[in-house]
Amino acid sequence: MKRVIFYGVILLTTLWACTKVPLSGRNQLLLVSDDEMNAMAFTSYKQFLDTSKVVPANSQQAAMVKRVGDKIARAAQSYFESTGNADYLKGYQWQTELVQSNQVNAWCMPGGKMVVYTGILPITQTETGLAVVMGHEVSHAIAKHGSERMSQGMLAQGLLVAGQIGLGVALKDKPNATQNLWNNVFGVAAPIGAQLGMMAHGRYQESEADHLGLIFMSMAGYNPMEAVNFWGRMAANSGGAKTPVWMSTHPSDQQRISDIKSRMGEAMKYYNASSKSGSNGRF
């Protein structure tokens, strides 16, 4: 009987915690609050920067990275203001740093803490190419994919405590299991290392970030057509044998580019509106 009641509470909790992702409209399960996710993310981010080689802010490349990050963040905030959801990004503390590393990667933690590795700059090539990457990564944070992964993991691993939800409750009752789940979701090494932020996003989350990223980069005044060129360069850079799409956490290169092309009409409407207004992310 107790088990039936427990699972009944879990069912009601999951139904209560269902939300919709902006723009895509997909239903998602969120069992943790933004405040809890952001607090843990900010701590991890600081620890990462303290142990990494951050490129000085006055360098040309770092200045470009910050400029793109700021413009995309403003565009995202403008989108939510224009739809009557100005509080959606409440608690986000946008920050972008360029880190010296050969890794061809970038990531954005919950709450807007972002890193771009110098290793990806030869492939982005231009500021607009960089906007493709940063729009995509920012969209992971805006779509709350990290919170979604944590929620799914907490549910699967039985980290809900008597039907209560939240990281605080789980950390207090089952600290080791909850911390391990966080580390797995966000790739936090021990000690904090270069894998921070490399979340194992599912294919639907990657496709969703591509979609939202196109919109936000377009609103920020960057031509979304460059996304096709950038992902083509990424595909060429990966080289070698490719993991079958059904085994991969990412869409195939061909599928990703095809999906981006299919969404270009929508993105160009935002880009054209941005170009006419000269808004640079402000509408």
Side-chain angles (χ1 to χ4, degrees), residues 140-167:
H140 277 307
I142 290 174
K144 303 183 181 181
H145 289 159
S147 300
E148 186 175 17
R149 291 295 299 242
M150 282 296 295
S151 299
Q152 292 167 344
M154 290 171 68
L155 196 60
Q157 297 182 28
L159 296 178
L160 295 181
V161 182
Q164 300 180 67
I165 60 175
L167 280 174

PDB file of all heavy atoms in Angstrom, residues 140-167:
ATOM      1  N   HIS A 140      20.755  25.514 -25.096  1.00  0.00           N
ATOM      2  CA  HIS A 140      20.701  24.386 -24.158  1.00  0.00           C
ATOM      3  C   HIS A 140      20.319  24.896 -22.761  1.00  0.00           C
ATOM      4  O   HIS A 140      19.521  24.266 -22.056  1.00  0.00           O
ATOM      5  CB  HIS A 140      22.049  23.681 -24.079  1.00  0.00           C
ATOM      6  CG  HIS A 140      22.278  22.681 -25.172  1.00  0.00           C
ATOM      7  ND1 HIS A 140      21.386  21.670 -25.467  1.00  0.00           N
ATOM      8  CD2 HIS A 140      23.322  22.521 -26.032  1.00  0.00           C
ATOM      9  CE1 HIS A 140      21.869  20.937 -26.459  1.00  0.00           C
ATOM     10  NE2 HIS A 140      23.036  21.433 -26.815  1.00  0.00           N
ATOM     11  N   ALA A 141      20.916  26.033 -22.374  1.00  0.00           N
ATOM     12  CA  ALA A 141      20.619  26.591 -21.052  1.00  0.00           C
ATOM     13  C   ALA A 141      19.209  27.162 -21.000  1.00  0.00           C
ATOM     14  O   ALA A 141      18.482  26.970 -20.027  1.00  0.00           O
ATOM     15  CB  ALA A 141      21.647  27.666 -20.698  1.00  0.00           C
ATOM     16  N   ILE A 142      18.809  27.865 -22.062  1.00  0.00           N
ATOM     17  CA  ILE A 142      17.488  28.484 -22.080  1.00  0.00           C
ATOM     18  C   ILE A 142      16.387  27.424 -22.098  1.00  0.00           C
ATOM     19  O   ILE A 142      15.345  27.580 -21.452  1.00  0.00           O
ATOM     20  CB  ILE A 142      17.366  29.419 -23.296  1.00  0.00           C
ATOM     21  CG1 ILE A 142      18.257  30.647 -23.079  1.00  0.00           C
ATOM     22  CG2 ILE A 142      15.914  29.832 -23.537  1.00  0.00           C
ATOM     23  CD1 ILE A 142      18.330  31.574 -24.259  1.00  0.00           C
ATOM     24  N   ALA A 143      16.616  26.336 -22.828  1.00  0.00           N
ATOM     25  CA  ALA A 143      15.643  25.243 -22.874  1.00  0.00           C
ATOM     26  C   ALA A 143      15.700  24.364 -21.629  1.00  0.00           C
ATOM     27  O   ALA A 143      14.927  23.408 -21.497  1.00  0.00           O
ATOM     28  CB  ALA A 143      15.865  24.386 -24.124  1.00  0.00           C
ATOM     29  N   LYS A 144      16.630  24.672 -20.730  1.00  0.00           N
ATOM     30  CA  LYS A 144      16.761  23.973 -19.454  1.00  0.00           C
ATOM     31  C   LYS A 144      16.991  22.473 -19.635  1.00  0.00           C
ATOM     32  O   LYS A 144      16.443  21.637 -18.926  1.00  0.00           O
ATOM     33  CB  LYS A 144      15.542  24.245 -18.562  1.00  0.00           C
ATOM     34  CG  LYS A 144      15.338  25.738 -18.310  1.00  0.00           C
ATOM     35  CD  LYS A 144      14.191  26.050 -17.378  1.00  0.00           C
ATOM     36  CE  LYS A 144      14.049  27.561 -17.209  1.00  0.00           C
ATOM     37  NZ  LYS A 144      12.958  27.951 -16.298  1.00  0.00           N
ATOM     38  N   HIS A 145      17.840  22.159 -20.608  1.00  0.00           N
ATOM     39  CA  HIS A 145      18.148  20.763 -20.872  1.00  0.00           C
ATOM     40  C   HIS A 145      18.895  20.110 -19.706  1.00  0.00           C
ATOM     41  O   HIS A 145      18.724  18.922 -19.444  1.00  0.00           O
ATOM     42  CB  HIS A 145      18.972  20.645 -22.153  1.00  0.00           C
ATOM     43  CG  HIS A 145      18.177  20.932 -23.388  1.00  0.00           C
ATOM     44  ND1 HIS A 145      18.758  21.299 -24.590  1.00  0.00           N
ATOM     45  CD2 HIS A 145      16.833  20.901 -23.609  1.00  0.00           C
ATOM     46  CE1 HIS A 145      17.801  21.479 -25.501  1.00  0.00           C
ATOM     47  NE2 HIS A 145      16.642  21.239 -24.934  1.00  0.00           N
ATOM     48  N   GLY A 146      19.734  20.890 -19.015  1.00  0.00           N
ATOM     49  CA  GLY A 146      20.438  20.347 -17.855  1.00  0.00           C
ATOM     50  C   GLY A 146      19.472  19.979 -16.749  1.00  0.00           C
ATOM     51  O   GLY A 146      19.594  18.914 -16.129  1.00  0.00           O
ATOM     52  N   SER A 147      18.503  20.835 -16.489  1.00  0.00           N
ATOM     53  CA  SER A 147      17.494  20.546 -15.471  1.00  0.00           C
ATOM     54  C   SER A 147      16.669  19.324 -15.861  1.00  0.00           C
ATOM     55  O   SER A 147      16.299  18.517 -15.008  1.00  0.00           O
ATOM     56  CB  SER A 147      16.571  21.759 -15.298  1.00  0.00           C
ATOM     57  OG  SER A 147      17.295  22.895 -14.893  1.00  0.00           O
ATOM     58  N   GLU A 148      16.406  19.215 -17.136  1.00  0.00           N
ATOM     59  CA  GLU A 148      15.637  18.071 -17.626  1.00  0.00           C
ATOM     60  C   GLU A 148      16.398  16.769 -17.414  1.00  0.00           C
ATOM     61  O   GLU A 148      15.828  15.771 -16.952  1.00  0.00           O
ATOM     62  CB  GLU A 148      15.327  18.273 -19.104  1.00  0.00           C
ATOM     63  CG  GLU A 148      14.415  17.227 -19.707  1.00  0.00           C
ATOM     64  CD  GLU A 148      14.041  17.547 -21.140  1.00  0.00           C
ATOM     65  OE1 GLU A 148      14.723  18.388 -21.776  1.00  0.00           O
ATOM     66  OE2 GLU A 148      13.066  16.961 -21.637  1.00  0.00           O
ATOM     67  N   ARG A 149      17.679  16.784 -17.724  1.00  0.00           N
ATOM     68  CA  ARG A 149      18.498  15.579 -17.530  1.00  0.00           C
ATOM     69  C   ARG A 149      18.611  15.216 -16.051  1.00  0.00           C
ATOM     70  O   ARG A 149      18.556  14.046 -15.674  1.00  0.00           O
ATOM     71  CB  ARG A 149      19.894  15.790 -18.124  1.00  0.00           C
ATOM     72  CG  ARG A 149      19.941  15.883 -19.640  1.00  0.00           C
ATOM     73  CD  ARG A 149      19.519  14.592 -20.303  1.00  0.00           C
ATOM     74  NE  ARG A 149      20.410  13.511 -19.932  1.00  0.00           N
ATOM     75  CZ  ARG A 149      21.166  12.826 -20.792  1.00  0.00           C
ATOM     76  NH1 ARG A 149      21.149  13.135 -22.058  1.00  0.00           N
ATOM     77  NH2 ARG A 149      21.929  11.833 -20.390  1.00  0.00           N
ATOM     78  N   MET A 150      18.785  16.233 -15.207  1.00  0.00           N
ATOM     79  CA  MET A 150      18.837  15.973 -13.762  1.00  0.00           C
ATOM     80  C   MET A 150      17.519  15.389 -13.281  1.00  0.00           C
ATOM     81  O   MET A 150      17.492  14.447 -12.482  1.00  0.00           O
ATOM     82  CB  MET A 150      19.145  17.268 -13.007  1.00  0.00           C
ATOM     83  CG  MET A 150      20.596  17.692 -13.021  1.00  0.00           C
ATOM     84  SD  MET A 150      21.712  16.528 -12.176  1.00  0.00           S
ATOM     85  CE  MET A 150      21.133  16.655 -10.481  1.00  0.00           C
ATOM     86  N   SER A 151      16.410  15.928 -13.755  1.00  0.00           N
ATOM     87  CA  SER A 151      15.090  15.450 -13.336  1.00  0.00           C
ATOM     88  C   SER A 151      14.881  14.002 -13.755  1.00  0.00           C
ATOM     89  O   SER A 151      14.388  13.180 -12.969  1.00  0.00           O
ATOM     90  CB  SER A 151      14.000  16.338 -13.953  1.00  0.00           C
ATOM     91  OG  SER A 151      14.133  17.667 -13.517  1.00  0.00           O
ATOM     92  N   GLN A 152      15.250  13.699 -14.988  1.00  0.00           N
ATOM     93  CA  GLN A 152      15.116  12.328 -15.471  1.00  0.00           C
ATOM     94  C   GLN A 152      15.978  11.373 -14.650  1.00  0.00           C
ATOM     95  O   GLN A 152      15.550  10.269 -14.304  1.00  0.00           O
ATOM     96  CB  GLN A 152      15.509  12.258 -16.951  1.00  0.00           C
ATOM     97  CG  GLN A 152      14.557  12.986 -17.880  1.00  0.00           C
ATOM     98  CD  GLN A 152      15.113  13.169 -19.277  1.00  0.00           C
ATOM     99  OE1 GLN A 152      16.319  13.023 -19.520  1.00  0.00           O
ATOM    100  NE2 GLN A 152      14.241  13.509 -20.222  1.00  0.00           N
ATOM    101  N   GLY A 153      17.204  11.825 -14.327  1.00  0.00           N
ATOM    102  CA  GLY A 153      18.096  10.983 -13.547  1.00  0.00           C
ATOM    103  C   GLY A 153      17.612  10.776 -12.125  1.00  0.00           C
ATOM    104  O   GLY A 153      17.691   9.670 -11.578  1.00  0.00           O
ATOM    105  N   MET A 154      17.101  11.836 -11.518  1.00  0.00           N
ATOM    106  CA  MET A 154      16.579  11.721 -10.157  1.00  0.00           C
ATOM    107  C   MET A 154      15.408  10.763 -10.102  1.00  0.00           C
ATOM    108  O   MET A 154      15.277   9.960  -9.166  1.00  0.00           O
ATOM    109  CB  MET A 154      16.169  13.096  -9.639  1.00  0.00           C
ATOM    110  CG  MET A 154      17.337  14.033  -9.364  1.00  0.00           C
ATOM    111  SD  MET A 154      16.821  15.729  -8.988  1.00  0.00           S
ATOM    112  CE  MET A 154      16.021  15.480  -7.404  1.00  0.00           C
ATOM    113  N   LEU A 155      14.559  10.825 -11.087  1.00  0.00           N
ATOM    114  CA  LEU A 155      13.398   9.936 -11.137  1.00  0.00           C
ATOM    115  C   LEU A 155      13.842   8.495 -11.355  1.00  0.00           C
ATOM    116  O   LEU A 155      13.378   7.580 -10.676  1.00  0.00           O
ATOM    117  CB  LEU A 155      12.458  10.377 -12.267  1.00  0.00           C
ATOM    118  CG  LEU A 155      11.037   9.826 -12.249  1.00  0.00           C
ATOM    119  CD1 LEU A 155      10.310  10.235 -10.974  1.00  0.00           C
ATOM    120  CD2 LEU A 155      10.274  10.311 -13.474  1.00  0.00           C
ATOM    121  N   ALA A 156      14.772   8.295 -12.275  1.00  0.00           N
ATOM    122  CA  ALA A 156      15.226   6.939 -12.605  1.00  0.00           C
ATOM    123  C   ALA A 156      15.991   6.297 -11.455  1.00  0.00           C
ATOM    124  O   ALA A 156      15.910   5.080 -11.246  1.00  0.00           O
ATOM    125  CB  ALA A 156      16.100   6.984 -13.852  1.00  0.00           C
ATOM    126  N   GLN A 157      16.740   7.112 -10.706  1.00  0.00           N
ATOM    127  CA  GLN A 157      17.577   6.581  -9.636  1.00  0.00           C
ATOM    128  C   GLN A 157      16.904   6.634  -8.261  1.00  0.00           C
ATOM    129  O   GLN A 157      17.534   6.367  -7.244  1.00  0.00           O
ATOM    130  CB  GLN A 157      18.906   7.334  -9.601  1.00  0.00           C
ATOM    131  CG  GLN A 157      19.735   7.160 -10.861  1.00  0.00           C
ATOM    132  CD  GLN A 157      21.074   7.864 -10.785  1.00  0.00           C
ATOM    133  OE1 GLN A 157      21.635   8.054  -9.704  1.00  0.00           O
ATOM    134  NE2 GLN A 157      21.602   8.256 -11.930  1.00  0.00           N
ATOM    135  N   GLY A 158      15.645   7.001  -8.233  1.00  0.00           N
ATOM    136  CA  GLY A 158      14.925   7.014  -6.973  1.00  0.00           C
ATOM    137  C   GLY A 158      15.405   8.063  -6.002  1.00  0.00           C
ATOM    138  O   GLY A 158      15.411   7.839  -4.782  1.00  0.00           O
ATOM    139  N   LEU A 159      15.797   9.234  -6.513  1.00  0.00           N
ATOM    140  CA  LEU A 159      16.310  10.292  -5.651  1.00  0.00           C
ATOM    141  C   LEU A 159      15.231  11.260  -5.186  1.00  0.00           C
ATOM    142  O   LEU A 159      15.531  12.244  -4.509  1.00  0.00           O
ATOM    143  CB  LEU A 159      17.417  11.075  -6.384  1.00  0.00           C
ATOM    144  CG  LEU A 159      18.664  10.256  -6.719  1.00  0.00           C
ATOM    145  CD1 LEU A 159      19.678  11.102  -7.475  1.00  0.00           C
ATOM    146  CD2 LEU A 159      19.301   9.689  -5.458  1.00  0.00           C
ATOM    147  N   LEU A 160      13.986  10.982  -5.551  1.00  0.00           N
ATOM    148  CA  LEU A 160      12.888  11.749  -4.971  1.00  0.00           C
ATOM    149  C   LEU A 160      12.639  11.230  -3.561  1.00  0.00           C
ATOM    150  O   LEU A 160      12.579  10.020  -3.343  1.00  0.00           O
ATOM    151  CB  LEU A 160      11.621  11.601  -5.816  1.00  0.00           C
ATOM    152  CG  LEU A 160      11.684  12.168  -7.232  1.00  0.00           C
ATOM    153  CD1 LEU A 160      10.349  11.976  -7.923  1.00  0.00           C
ATOM    154  CD2 LEU A 160      12.042  13.637  -7.205  1.00  0.00           C
ATOM    155  N   VAL A 161      12.518  12.131  -2.628  1.00  0.00           N
ATOM    156  CA  VAL A 161      12.372  11.748  -1.226  1.00  0.00           C
ATOM    157  C   VAL A 161      10.922  11.892  -0.804  1.00  0.00           C
ATOM    158  O   VAL A 161      10.408  13.005  -0.681  1.00  0.00           O
ATOM    159  CB  VAL A 161      13.286  12.608  -0.323  1.00  0.00           C
ATOM    160  CG1 VAL A 161      13.162  12.158   1.117  1.00  0.00           C
ATOM    161  CG2 VAL A 161      14.725  12.527  -0.811  1.00  0.00           C
ATOM    162  N   ALA A 162      10.247  10.756  -0.623  1.00  0.00           N
ATOM    163  CA  ALA A 162       8.848  10.749  -0.178  1.00  0.00           C
ATOM    164  C   ALA A 162       7.988  11.714  -0.986  1.00  0.00           C
ATOM    165  O   ALA A 162       7.149  12.421  -0.461  1.00  0.00           O
ATOM    166  CB  ALA A 162       8.771  11.093   1.305  1.00  0.00           C
ATOM    167  N   GLY A 163       8.270  11.742  -2.293  1.00  0.00           N
ATOM    168  CA  GLY A 163       7.479  12.587  -3.175  1.00  0.00           C
ATOM    169  C   GLY A 163       7.922  14.030  -3.215  1.00  0.00           C
ATOM    170  O   GLY A 163       7.370  14.823  -3.967  1.00  0.00           O
ATOM    171  N   GLN A 164       8.906  14.396  -2.392  1.00  0.00           N
ATOM    172  CA  GLN A 164       9.408  15.762  -2.423  1.00  0.00           C
ATOM    173  C   GLN A 164      10.339  15.924  -3.610  1.00  0.00           C
ATOM    174  O   GLN A 164      10.946  14.972  -4.082  1.00  0.00           O
ATOM    175  CB  GLN A 164      10.159  16.088  -1.126  1.00  0.00           C
ATOM    176  CG  GLN A 164       9.305  15.975   0.117  1.00  0.00           C
ATOM    177  CD  GLN A 164      10.102  16.308   1.366  1.00  0.00           C
ATOM    178  OE1 GLN A 164      10.509  17.444   1.548  1.00  0.00           O
ATOM    179  NE2 GLN A 164      10.316  15.314   2.195  1.00  0.00           N
ATOM    180  N   ILE A 165      10.428  17.142  -4.105  1.00  0.00           N
ATOM    181  CA  ILE A 165      11.295  17.383  -5.241  1.00  0.00           C
ATOM    182  C   ILE A 165      12.297  18.461  -4.904  1.00  0.00           C
ATOM    183  O   ILE A 165      12.121  19.256  -3.994  1.00  0.00           O
ATOM    184  CB  ILE A 165      10.487  17.801  -6.489  1.00  0.00           C
ATOM    185  CG1 ILE A 165       9.705  19.078  -6.222  1.00  0.00           C
ATOM    186  CG2 ILE A 165       9.565  16.689  -6.926  1.00  0.00           C
ATOM    187  CD1 ILE A 165       8.977  19.621  -7.430  1.00  0.00           C
ATOM    188  N   GLY A 166      13.383  18.487  -5.669  1.00  0.00           N
ATOM    189  CA  GLY A 166      14.380  19.535  -5.506  1.00  0.00           C
ATOM    190  C   GLY A 166      15.751  18.961  -5.207  1.00  0.00           C
ATOM    191  O   GLY A 166      15.897  17.917  -4.567  1.00  0.00           O
ATOM    192  N   LEU A 167      16.771  19.663  -5.684  1.00  0.00           N
ATOM    193  CA  LEU A 167      18.142  19.232  -5.437  1.00  0.00           C
ATOM    194  C   LEU A 167      18.497  19.311  -3.968  1.00  0.00           C
ATOM    195  O   LEU A 167      19.234  18.473  -3.447  1.00  0.00           O
ATOM    196  CB  LEU A 167      19.107  20.102  -6.248  1.00  0.00           C
ATOM    197  CG  LEU A 167      19.268  19.760  -7.728  1.00  0.00           C
ATOM    198  CD1 LEU A 167      20.139  20.802  -8.406  1.00  0.00           C
ATOM    199  CD2 LEU A 167      19.877  18.381  -7.881  1.00  0.00           C
TER     200      LEU A 167
END
